Amino acid sequence: MRLAENMATTQQTSTKQEILEYLLKHSQATAVELANFLDVSPQAIRRHLKDLETEELVLYSVSEQPSMGRPQHVYHLSRGGRSHLQKSANRLNDSYGDFAISLLDTLAETVGREQVKTILQKQWERKAQEYRERVGTGSLKERVAALIQLRKQEGFMAEFHPVESNIDGGEKFIFVEHTCAISDVAESFPSVCGHELEMFAAILPDCTVERTHWLIHGEHRCGYLVQKR
């Protein structure tokens, strides 16, 4: 009996996690959309959403359904829900992140923020070299896939998609990071985001890399367009 209860609890936890991840990636969804995607009954989804609402991980707004004129709940992540997913994705303990910020603050007080920016730039240059060696020299798709895998290993919830082009026919990919493993550091030292963009460009030297979305600007993900020159 206890084993069955534990299995049911684990399944419920997994479904709730999948709901949160879907909302993170798609910004918002109705209970019916979630039920269709997860292949779970709408009634069960609504129970999970109610629990998540109680835990203050999701919020909802009410909108009119155009076809029937009936109101429906549209769910999206709360700030707490995003923070919950960030902590789940980040493999480092919170104390390590706090230590990194404290260390950078101490360095800034000791040598100045400009010197800290220089130090961070050197660190990202080293990281770019490491990534470039590990990504290899395959096709652009293979390299982007390898880069995404490396980012996942470091605690980023990342994925990529091809972009169709009817103009020049060149290879294009969008890769997105729904969570950021260094978000706390980026909030205190936003220059790291600029170094990160430079790093991606250095890893893929035959491509242009353009930022399309930015978590720090309040968007629900960081996104980059990679295009072969």
Side-chain angles (χ1 to χ4, degrees):
M1 179 68 71
R2 180 167 294 181
L3 177 60
E5 290 176 352
N6 289 341
M7 290 179 63
T9 300
T10 299
Q11 185 175 11
Q12 290 175 3
T13 302
S14 174
T15 302
K16 288 178 181 177
Q17 183 73 9
E18 289 176 330
I19 289 172
L20 293 175
E21 290 179 1
Y22 184 94
L23 292 177
L24 178 69
K25 293 179 180 180
H26 296 84
S27 181
Q28 63 181 31
T30 64
V32 173
E33 289 170 346
L34 289 164
N36 290 336
F37 179 78
L38 298 176
D39 196 21
V40 179
S41 72
Q43 293 81 2
I45 288 293
R46 289 189 176 94
R47 287 196 296 270
H48 290 313
L49 287 168
K50 187 64 177 177
D51 290 343
L52 292 169
E53 186 185 348
T54 300
E55 297 169 29
E56 299 183 344
L57 299 179
V58 301
L59 302 169
Y60 71 84
S61 56
V62 179
S63 67
E64 294 293 329
Q65 191 172 8
S67 60
M68 302 178 66
R70 296 166 57 185
Q72 62 178 344
H73 289 179
V74 179
Y75 293 86
H76 57 274
L77 285 180
S78 67
R79 183 181 294 272
R82 180 174 288 280
S83 177
H84 170 81
L85 284 174
Q86 179 62 65
K87 290 177 180 178
S88 298
N90 194 345
R91 300 187 181 187
L92 297 175
N93 293 329
D94 289 343
S95 58
Y96 290 171
D98 293 341
F99 176 79
I101 295 172
S102 178
L103 175 61
L104 289 171
D105 285 337
T106 301
L107 280 172
E109 292 173 4
T110 305
V111 301
R113 294 187 72 87
E114 290 304 316
Q115 187 64 26
V116 171
K117 289 180 182 179
T118 301
I119 294 170
L120 287 172
Q121 182 173 359
K122 291 294 183 182
Q123 171 62 20
W124 283 108
E125 289 172 358
R126 288 181 57 187
K127 192 72 175 175
Q129 182 61 33
E130 175 191 339
Y131 267 31
R132 189 168 174 178
E133 291 173 358
R134 297 179 66 181
V135 162
T137 58
S139 68
L140 179 55
K141 182 177 181 179
E142 290 171 340
R143 285 179 287 154
V144 172
L147 176 58
I148 291 298
Q149 195 59 38
L150 290 172
R151 300 297 277 179
K152 286 181 177 180
Q153 292 171 7
E154 294 186 353
F156 295 81
M157 188 184 294
E159 61 185 2
F160 78 102
H161 309 283
V163 177
E164 294 185 4
S165 174
N166 296 324
I167 300 175
D168 52 25
E171 276 191 293
K172 295 182 183 179
F173 295 93
I174 282 280
F175 79 84
V176 297
E177 295 174 340
H178 299 286
T179 59
C180 176
I182 58 169
S183 58
D184 290 341
V185 174
E187 287 181 8
S188 298
F189 295 87
S191 64
V192 301
C193 295
H195 297 320
E196 192 173 54
L197 182 60
E198 294 170 3
M199 179 186 72
F200 292 142
I203 295 167
L204 305 166
D206 58 336
C207 301
T208 59
V209 182
E210 176 186 349
R211 191 191 307 278
T212 59
H213 300 82
W214 200 357
L215 281 167
I216 282 185
H217 282 178
E219 298 179 87
H220 67 281
R221 61 184 176 179
C222 283
Y224 303 89
L225 173 65
V226 179
Q227 181 175 3
K228 195 130 184 215
R229 289 196 180 97

